[in-house]
Amino acid sequence: MGFWVGMVLGIAAGVAIIVGFARCENSRAARRRELAATVASFSKMTIEDSRKLLPSDLYPSWVVFSSQQKLKWLNQELTKIWPFVNEAASELIKISVEPVLEQYRPIIIASLKFSKLTLGTVAPQFTGISIIENTQESGIVMELEMNWDANASIILDVKTLLGVALPIQDIGFTGIFRLIFKPLVEELPCFGAVCFSLRKKKKLDFRLKVIGGEISALPGISDALEDTIKNAVEDSITWPVRKVIPIIPGDYSDLELKPVGTLEVKLVQARDLTNKDLIGKSDPFAIVYVRPLPDKMKRSKTINNDLNPIWNEHFEFIVEDADTQTVTVKIYDDDGIQESDLIGSAQVRLKDLQPGKVKDVWLKLVKDLEIQRDRKDRGQVHLELLYCPFDMKDEAPNPFAPQFTMTSLERTMTNMENRSGGSSFDMMSSSRKKKEIIMRGVLSVTVISGEDLPAMDMNGKSDPYVGLSLKKSKTKYKTRVVNESLNPVWNQTFDFVVEDGLHDMLILEVYDHDTFRRDYMGRCILTLTKVMLEEEYEESFNLEGAKSGKLKLHLKWSPQPIMRDTRE
């Protein structure tokens, strides 16, 4: 009897435990569902909802919700601490800017130093704020748009024959500053260092006056000083230059400005440029740069009296930040001793270039790169661009020695030659002369056919032939004449011995043959870059200077690279 009673009680107890456990689990599940619903509700809560829940007096002064409120709070705090910022920043600016002013000092000035520098009592105002990046690797990257109409008192001691002092007055500045908080760490203030830089300069206005007179009393000094000051701003704090301020002791050399690669620019030609001269045609030249500093800008030669100039010039630049930097080309009309007239400008972002690959582009010229409202046709400029990062794994090293010079394009082509089993480069005696690669070889050009050529005769036909030449060679060829055809077929091959392929061009001119004269129909101008990189290709090219028409060509390159010496 006792056994049965015990068994019944045991079963009852077991059932009770099971039921209790089940109810407990159901209760926990219900609480989890309620918590999930609450979290979901908070995630959907708007700023207005939060303001209804808590009155504004319960928030600390630094907690704000909208961008306008953030900027208002930031500007209020900056105004409070501005007297202290002015005192510290004035001395810092004086120490860091004076050497840069001396670097860009005009020849007509003996010395250039600050005798007084104070930023005044008016604090800058921030008008925009945005977070660009926020990751463990990149840190926090913030951009602040600043507007400053200052009552600064800045006096430059300018040592000239007259010995004058120049106050800088009525400073107006609008720009975007970039702040980088990196690296992110676990100890307060949660970042190791802060970098600051002027990301974009929208406006920089100031007036120079001589104490007791106008700056115009000193001929030539006004423009020279304004250029010097703007160059100093560009070289000292404008991105990609950045100032690093350590917060927590450590090595932050990786945050400093460093070259990351080279950009090779071939300025090929321009076409249909606007004529700036009343008599004759413009005399165009080009200024090419990545950073607009006098010692980093390259100028091409001037082509006189030509609206379709051919330069075919090489320039090489150091790149510090391929993600944000651009290459800019500005074409001017050379007016001799007078100030040159701007014909037009063009720009290419370096991040649009594929590293190690040549990009061939025609760019439309505009009046202003910032304000894209110019609909006037100012012409086009032709560029070939090659960006080579220093950390490219397949970049060809200089096969001679580190002190010898090679352009990025030469390195790329040397690498191709080595990979394709081409001729190896013999090591020459180690002299003190610089050695350059000459891409020598044989260029085979097959003029296959023409398509939709312009009609030059009264019967609506033409008798076309093609003249072929290299820009640096006296060798010239021409195809046979195909009578009465707008779609001629030639299939003729011509070989050119090219002495310097990197700096030569192939010119093909199409003419209509008549008994006593010839009529010009159009031309094609080709650099040899593509055929040297690809060794062989076939393509149709539009005729320049013609309403219609194409030439179909087959090009082949047989390399025979050699070396030449140039004195240092």
Side-chain angles (χ1 to χ4, degrees), residues 67-180:
S67 297
Q68 291 300 321
Q69 287 175 310
K70 291 178 184 178
L71 292 171
K72 182 179 179 182
W73 173 81
L74 186 62
N75 288 327
Q76 288 175 346
E77 297 302 315
L78 182 59
T79 301
K80 292 178 184 178
I81 66 172
W82 181 248
F84 307 100
V85 173
N86 175 30
E87 184 177 352
S90 297
E91 187 62 27
L92 180 63
I93 292 172
K94 185 176 180 180
I95 294 173
S96 59
V97 173
E98 272 189 352
V100 184
L101 286 174
E102 190 66 21
Q103 177 183 350
Y104 293 105
R105 174 177 52 82
I107 299 177
I108 58 176
I109 296 176
S111 69
L112 196 59
K113 296 184 181 297
F114 292 107
S115 62
K116 181 180 181 181
L117 196 159
T118 176
L119 300 180
T121 59
V122 179
Q125 294 293 296
F126 293 105
T127 57
I129 183 171
S130 60
I131 303 296
I132 307 301
E133 291 182 85
N134 185 6
T135 64
Q136 184 65 36
E137 294 77 17
S138 62
I140 299 174
V141 182
M142 177 187 301
E143 288 192 348
L144 293 168
E145 184 171 353
M146 189 184 79
N147 187 11
W148 188 35
D149 291 320
N151 62 345
S153 178
I154 303 174
I155 298 180
L156 284 171
D157 270 342
V158 182
K159 299 300 182 183
T160 64
L161 294 177
L162 301 178
V164 299
L166 294 172
I168 301 174
Q169 299 179 342
D170 301 333
I171 297 176
F173 174 79
T174 301
I176 298 176
F177 278 90
R178 171 170 286 193
L179 302 177
I180 302 175

Side-chain angles (χ1 to χ4, degrees), residues 492-504:
Q492 290 182 260
T493 301
F494 306 93
D495 292 334
F496 292 91
V497 176
V498 182
E499 296 296 335
D500 189 359
L502 284 176
H503 305 93
D504 214 337

Side-chain angles (χ1 to χ4, degrees), residues 451-455 486 521-522 541-550:
E451 178 185 345
D452 194 24
L453 299 183
L486 301 182
M521 299 172 69
F541 300 92
N542 292 323
L543 280 184
E544 297 179 18
K547 294 181 179 179
S548 64
K550 293 183 178 181

Side-chain angles (χ1 to χ4, degrees), residues 427-441:
M427 292 289 291
M428 299 187 72
S429 59
S430 56
S431 64
R432 292 294 179 182
K433 299 177 181 179
K434 293 183 179 180
K435 294 179 172 56
E436 297 178 349
I437 299 296
I438 299 179
M439 301 310 296
R440 187 176 186 272

Side-chain angles (χ1 to χ4, degrees), residues 532-568:
M532 288 191 294
L533 289 172
E534 299 184 10
E535 295 187 350
E536 187 172 2
Y537 74 98
E538 186 176 299
E539 191 173 330
S540 292
F541 300 92
N542 292 323
L543 280 184
E544 297 179 18
K547 294 181 179 179
S548 64
K550 293 183 178 181
L551 279 184
K552 187 175 183 180
L553 306 175
H554 180 274
L555 293 95
K556 183 177 181 181
W557 175 255
S558 301
Q560 298 175 358
I562 60 173
M563 286 176 30
R564 68 182 172 194
D565 290 344
T566 56
R567 295 187 180 277
E568 291 182 330

